[in-house]
Amino acid sequence: MTSLSELATKDRIFDAVLLTICGIVQAVALAFAAFATRDAFAALHAGHALATSTVLQLAISGMVAAACLFLSKYRAEALGQSYAISLRRMLYKQIARLPKSRHKERRVGALSLRFVGDLSAARLWFGRGLPDVLSAAFVIPGAVSVLYFLDPALAVYGIASLSCTLLIMGSLAWHLARRHQKLRRNRANIAISMIERIAIAPELDLMGRTDRELRKLEKQGLSLRRDALARQGRTASLQAVLQLGVALTGLLMLWLASQNETAPATVAASLSVLALLALPLQNLAGAWDYYCAWSVAREKAARLLSEPVLMRAGADHGLSPEIEVTGELDGNSISFAAPSGSTSALGGKHAYCIARCIAGLDTNEGIAVRYSGQDRAPKIAFVGDNHVGLQGSLRRSATLMCSKRPNDQKIAKVMQAFGLSELLGAPDDLDQRLAENGNGLSPFQTLSIDLVRAVLGKADVVVIASVRWGSCRDRQAKLLETLQKLSAATIIMAEDATSPNVKQDSKVI
């Protein structure tokens, strides 16, 4: 199980410390600016010229505060992006190691949202919300202290008034996380629906479903709009209550100053501190909004990261292993053995399930797979029903399994051996572009590319469990002969992948 807390212990400590230092320096600059403001108003009230030290103190305080603001915002964004990069890597690594059956149980768009909405929530919280909290943790106590030293009476009444405002804000913010949860659910439903339907939109249109899909999309959009307005209304109310509270606190301080005949310079300095105090409080309200969004996304991410994974083989390869499968499925005893370097047929109603377990794509509590007496799987090439390919050059597609890409001459030679001369054309046609997952290619061509990958990638085991093999019966013998000639791998062929040309070295009992 992978923990999200691990992401906070890497290279982000420097930025977190720097943000804390910026908060402390900002608090100190605020103190100097407040007392310099008092001295400036006192001099103006008395009709005296401003002292050079007062002017320098105000100028330096302003420049230092501005520099800290820039540095904190800049490094805060770096912190948020850094966290998002690590989280993205962690999520992809987890998804890649999930059993294939878990992928099929999930909706296509659900996993995609982990890399869109959830990462945005993480970036905003760690890049904006958390830095604002760190800054406020020093600026607010510093501002309160400065206000107290300027005039204790004004400070006590002013802080009491602001505290009432914060209590009201706290009551409004209490259910903000629930608003985010509903908003996220509706937004996710729309995103998942669109991700799933975009690829098949023409086919749905042919079925006459476009109007129905548009009505459904509009209904979901209206629901999303209501939740978005509810969440935005709650967030805006926090800002509005704070501004109203600051305004009323300022009026209270002015009234108290008039009753106590407080010096105008002290009143002006106190009001300036109050205005500066409102900024971190406003940032805290926004930070709470970011945190609520992240808390909902974090729950989803943590649930995904807690799922058990399969530790598949790395890039290293060795000798072709002997494969043994034992156990029980649905009350049927399983016993299968494939000698090292052999070509074996895997029959029976559980053949496809066993083939996926041998390949390391899935796991099953009822059966155990051993590779030359070891539990750790070697380098395995799995040829399934669907061709797996990334958009890019033919060269890239043919060498997806290679830790180090061979030269073009070797790639072309292996492709020609598997009957891909027509697709290849000239040896320099390896630069031609292929669509995602081999769209536009024939079943024979995608099947042959899969076998080319196994050879070039030096797979120790090749598992063939594909309907494409059955659709190429007239070329099966040639393909198998070529695979056996170019690779010393142990070859396992399941169900429809079997043919009279495959020696039945082993079978499932």
Side-chain angles (χ1 to χ4, degrees), residues 335-458:
S335 178
F336 173 79
S340 173
S342 66
T343 300
S344 304
L346 188 59
K349 66 178 182 178
H350 297 300
Y352 191 72
C353 173
I354 297 173
R356 294 168 69 86
C357 291
I358 293 175
L361 285 175
D362 279 323
T363 183
N364 193 297
E365 296 181 357
I367 62 176
V369 182
R370 305 273 291 178
Y371 308 90
S372 295
Q374 303 293 323
D375 291 329
R376 180 174 172 80
K379 194 169 186 181
I380 299 176
F382 180 75
V383 182
D385 290 338
N386 300 313
H387 174 71
V388 178
L390 302 175
Q391 183 177 354
S393 67
L394 178 57
R395 178 189 298 104
R396 181 191 190 193
S397 183
T399 57
L400 279 180
M401 280 194 67
C402 299
S403 55
K404 183 179 180 181
R405 180 178 291 174
N407 58 53
D408 287 358
Q409 289 76 17
K410 183 174 182 179
I411 297 173
K413 184 178 179 181
V414 174
M415 293 185 68
Q416 289 168 350
F418 279 101
L420 291 171
S421 299
E422 182 179 348
L423 174 64
L424 180 62
D428 58 355
D429 282 349
L430 288 171
D431 290 323
Q432 64 178 288
R433 308 292 292 179
L434 296 184
E436 183 181 1
N437 294 328
N439 292 335
L441 299 180
S442 69
F444 169 75
Q445 289 173 329
T446 58
L447 177 65
S448 297
I449 291 176
D450 287 343
L451 298 177
V452 168
R453 289 177 185 169
V455 172
L456 294 177
K458 300 179 181 179

Side-chain angles (χ1 to χ4, degrees), residues 108-434:
V108 176
L111 291 177
S112 302
L113 291 182
R114 302 287 86 78
F115 297 92
V116 184
D118 293 353
L119 282 182
S120 295
R123 181 181 58 81
L124 289 174
W125 163 241
F126 287 96
R128 297 184 186 180
L130 182 59
D132 286 341
V133 172
L134 293 175
S135 177
F138 296 96
V139 173
I140 292 177
V144 171
S145 300
V146 171
L147 196 60
Y148 183 81
F149 283 115
L150 287 172
D151 191 294
L154 290 181
V156 170
Y157 284 98
I159 298 305
S161 176
L162 276 182
S163 297
C164 294
T165 300
L166 293 178
L167 288 175
I168 297 174
M169 292 175 63
S171 64
L172 292 174
W174 185 254
H175 297 295
L176 189 58
R178 186 181 302 173
R179 300 288 185 185
H180 271 285
Q181 193 170 25
K182 291 184 64 178
L183 179 61
R184 184 192 183 282
R185 186 185 305 118
N186 281 333
R187 187 188 294 122
N189 287 337
I190 293 178
I192 292 173
S193 296
M194 289 302 98
I195 290 173
E196 293 175 348
R197 285 164 172 76
I198 284 175
I200 58 173
E203 288 81 358
L204 291 175
D205 187 54
L206 185 63
M207 299 177 193
R209 289 191 56 90
T210 298
D211 290 340
R212 185 180 302 179
E213 296 298 335
L214 289 175
R215 287 195 298 271
K216 180 180 179 182
L217 181 62
E218 183 177 3
K219 182 179 179 181
Q220 290 177 321
L222 291 174
S223 179
L224 176 63
R225 179 175 179 268
R226 287 193 297 270
D227 289 331
L229 288 175
R231 171 255 172 186
Q232 186 61 38
R234 188 61 62 94
T235 304
S237 66
L238 296 178
Q239 308 288 348
V241 168
L242 176 61
Q243 290 191 9
L244 180 61
V246 171
L248 293 177
T249 300
L251 288 175
L252 176 63
M253 292 173 67
L254 283 173
W255 180 79
L256 289 172
S258 66
Q259 295 295 315
N260 299 331
E261 299 182 353
T262 306
T266 301
V267 176
S270 299
L271 291 177
S272 67
V273 172
L274 177 64
L276 292 174
L277 184 60
L279 181 59
L281 289 175
Q282 187 174 12
N283 290 339
L284 281 180
W288 177 249
D289 185 43
Y290 294 140
Y291 176 77
C292 289
W294 164 236
S295 64
V296 176
R298 180 184 58 192
E299 181 182 351
K300 297 289 185 179
R303 189 179 305 168
L304 174 62
L305 293 173
S306 66
E307 293 195 22
V309 297
L310 297 177
M311 301 304 295
R312 301 187 176 100
D316 296 335
H317 66 277
L319 298 176
S320 302
E322 176 186 0
I323 298 175
E324 298 178 66
V325 183
T326 57
E328 184 176 325
L329 282 176
D330 297 337
N332 298 319
S333 177
I334 303 298
S335 178
F336 173 79
S340 173
S342 66
T343 300
S344 304
L346 188 59
K349 66 178 182 178
H350 297 300
Y352 191 72
C353 173
I354 297 173
R356 294 168 69 86
C357 291
I358 293 175
L361 285 175
D362 279 323
T363 183
N364 193 297
E365 296 181 357
I367 62 176
V369 182
R370 305 273 291 178
Y371 308 90
S372 295
Q374 303 293 323
D375 291 329
R376 180 174 172 80
K379 194 169 186 181
I380 299 176
F382 180 75
V383 182
D385 290 338
N386 300 313
H387 174 71
V388 178
L390 302 175
Q391 183 177 354
S393 67
L394 178 57
R395 178 189 298 104
R396 181 191 190 193
S397 183
T399 57
L400 279 180
M401 280 194 67
C402 299
S403 55
K404 183 179 180 181
R405 180 178 291 174
N407 58 53
D408 287 358
Q409 289 76 17
K410 183 174 182 179
I411 297 173
K413 184 178 179 181
V414 174
M415 293 185 68
Q416 289 168 350
F418 279 101
L420 291 171
S421 299
E422 182 179 348
L423 174 64
L424 180 62
D428 58 355
D429 282 349
L430 288 171
D431 290 323
Q432 64 178 288
R433 308 292 292 179
L434 296 184

Side-chain angles (χ1 to χ4, degrees), residues 32-33 35-37 39-40 43 49-61:
F32 277 97
F35 288 109
T37 300
D39 294 340
L50 293 179
T52 304
S53 59
T54 301
V55 175
L56 288 176
Q57 192 172 337
L58 282 170
I60 293 174
S61 298

